[in-house]
Amino acid sequence: MYRVAPSSVNSHPVMRQALLNLEESRIREIANAGMGRSDVLAFWFGESDEGTPDVVRQAAADSLLRGETFYTHNLGLPELREGLAAYVSQLHRPVGADRIAVTSGGVNALMLAVQALVDPGDEVVAVTPVWPNLTAQPRIMGANLRCVSLRPQVGGAWGLDLQELLAAITPRTRLLVVNAPNNPTGWTLSVDEQRAILARCRETGTWILADEVYERLYYEATPNGCAPSFLDLAEPEDRLVVVYSFSKSFLMTGWRLGWLVMPPSMTLHMGKLIEFNTSCASVFTQRAGVAALAHADDITPRVVAHLKHCRDTLVPLLRAVPGVEVAAAQGGMYAFFRIAGQGDSLEVAKRLVAEAGLGLAPGNAFGPQAQGWLRWCFASKDPERLVQGVGRLKTWLGV
């Protein structure tokens, strides 16, 4: 009779250690504690509570009614790829459709890029604190991860020690992961910083994975109406992959639709990788993307103006709370703040849900560098919810 070897009993013989070592999302831990409670004001996830515009939803509905429920090209519908190329080119330097791959969400785009570029044992440098997926993905691939931390400045803003980052990038560094505008801090790279980073990565042969999904949610005046991008500086065959998403600036988080911009020599191979991950994004979702792009000049400026109003509603109220330190984010949809005298971020966030009915993301979900901080997503259809939330925070603090 066949017997199971004792060493395999109560073990995980089919699971890779890199997966077993992954931590569960602390953001989800807070959300799970408060979901289903009608009395909780939820600001934990990075999404607006406003629904997708009607014109986008109608495009998907029309597609479904036409029976477009079949597979399509791995890289996406030609009309969507062409539309994305035109959209990116309008904001940055010219980009051809041969550099575009449509993906099943921004997080899928990030994972595909890491799968394409990182082997086990490779060195990956990441700028943190950052959305935890960006540091988990290299670890899943077996990479050796090094973190270069932003640092809090006087007044609650965060900044980069550029020389520290440049020194961390060496010929051993396979990939640099940077998210700007940054989730959670709102920090954004300047053009000069991007130029220096690109030059250093050219010297060392390091790939750059730039998560620029928040580029349109930018509140400083710029000629192109968005944050600085590596695409403003790079040549087509530079070792640069940029990730975008429909989620934030088109109010389409649940649609799971994103795209990659990459060197043209990489695109065919990315199509193969998409085949072995998701095959393709759904056709009706891509039709919604085509409609979103067609109405981008109507949708996105309205979204950005509303988010700026939300930011400018929330941040002064938080600043007026004794012991709170917070800066107005340059980009993104978050107020990142700390409260004097409070302890572990996760425990504070748990208590806020349980005792105040206020749902925030703990700072240490984004890395140990952000211990003691809290992230508040201010993307609220009704800004009065933000006012109510600050009231609950003040009551909980007893001020």
Side-chain angles (χ1 to χ4, degrees), residues 154-176:
V154 175
W158 290 65
L160 173 70
D161 185 329
L162 179 62
Q163 294 308 311
E164 180 185 5
L165 177 61
L166 297 180
I169 302 167
T170 74
R172 297 187 305 276
T173 309
R174 174 64 174 172
L175 179 68
L176 168 67

Side-chain angles (χ1 to χ4, degrees), residues 71-360:
Y71 295 131
T72 188
H73 197 289
N74 297 130
L75 293 170
L77 293 173
E79 51 266 56
L80 181 55
R81 294 178 68 204
E82 292 287 349
L84 289 168
Y87 176 76
V88 173
S89 298
Q90 183 180 3
L91 297 174
H92 306 297
R93 296 173 71 177
V95 169
D98 62 338
R99 298 179 61 189
I100 302 287
V102 177
T103 64
S104 300
V107 64
N108 175 236
L110 289 163
M111 191 70 222
L112 287 164
V114 175
Q115 288 175 346
L117 297 173
V118 174
D119 280 319
D122 280 347
E123 180 181 274
V124 174
V125 172
V127 178
T128 55
V130 74
W131 187 48
N133 294 45
L134 274 74
T135 50
Q137 289 165 340
R139 290 189 176 110
I140 289 170
M141 296 306 297
N144 297 318
L145 183 69
R146 297 179 60 199
C147 296
V148 175
S149 180
L150 305 170
R151 293 191 175 90
Q153 314 294 309
V154 175
W158 290 65
L160 173 70
D161 185 329
L162 179 62
Q163 294 308 311
E164 180 185 5
L165 177 61
L166 297 180
I169 302 167
T170 74
R172 297 187 305 276
T173 309
R174 174 64 174 172
L175 179 68
L176 168 67
V177 180
V178 59
N179 164 228
N182 175 258
N183 172 12
T185 68
W187 160 82
T188 302
L189 279 165
S190 70
V191 174
D192 288 341
E193 288 171 329
Q194 288 178 328
R195 186 176 289 110
I197 291 168
L198 181 60
R200 178 60 178 162
C201 288
R202 284 169 172 167
E203 290 175 2
T204 60
T206 299
W207 282 86
I208 300 171
L209 176 55
D211 176 357
E212 298 185 2
V213 301
Y214 293 98
E215 72 160 5
R216 297 300 303 272
L217 307 188
Y218 192 60
Y219 310 113
E220 307 296 320
T222 59
N224 56 357
C226 63
S229 170
F230 281 100
L231 290 177
D232 297 324
L233 306 171
E235 299 300 324
E237 283 294 348
D238 270 320
R239 295 186 173 189
L240 170 68
V241 178
V242 186
V243 170
Y244 295 105
S245 172
F246 283 86
S247 291
K248 313 301 181 182
S249 52
F250 294 102
L251 301 176
M252 293 176 66
T253 51
W255 294 79
R256 312 317 305 132
L257 189 64
W259 74 96
L260 288 159
V261 179
M262 69 201 91
S265 60
M266 185 177 177
T267 310
L268 173 66
H269 304 290
M270 185 59 71
K272 294 186 292 186
L273 197 54
I274 291 171
E275 167 64 26
F276 299 124
N277 276 266
T278 59
S279 294
C280 58
S282 60
V283 176
F284 55 89
T285 302
Q286 294 188 64
R287 295 292 186 205
V290 172
L293 293 177
H295 294 85
D297 291 343
D298 298 322
I299 296 172
T300 299
R302 181 187 64 78
V303 170
V304 175
H306 180 71
L307 289 177
K308 185 176 186 297
H309 174 63
C310 289
R311 181 198 69 168
D312 295 345
T313 297
L314 176 62
V315 170
L317 292 174
L318 284 175
R319 282 178 175 158
V321 178
V324 168
E325 185 179 11
V326 62
Q330 285 184 298
M333 53 173 61
Y334 310 107
F336 203 52
F337 69 101
R338 59 182 168 185
I339 308 170
Q342 297 299 320
D344 178 78
S345 297
L346 182 61
E347 294 306 313
V348 171
K350 286 180 178 178
R351 289 187 59 199
L352 282 168
V353 169
E355 301 168 12
L358 181 61
L360 306 177

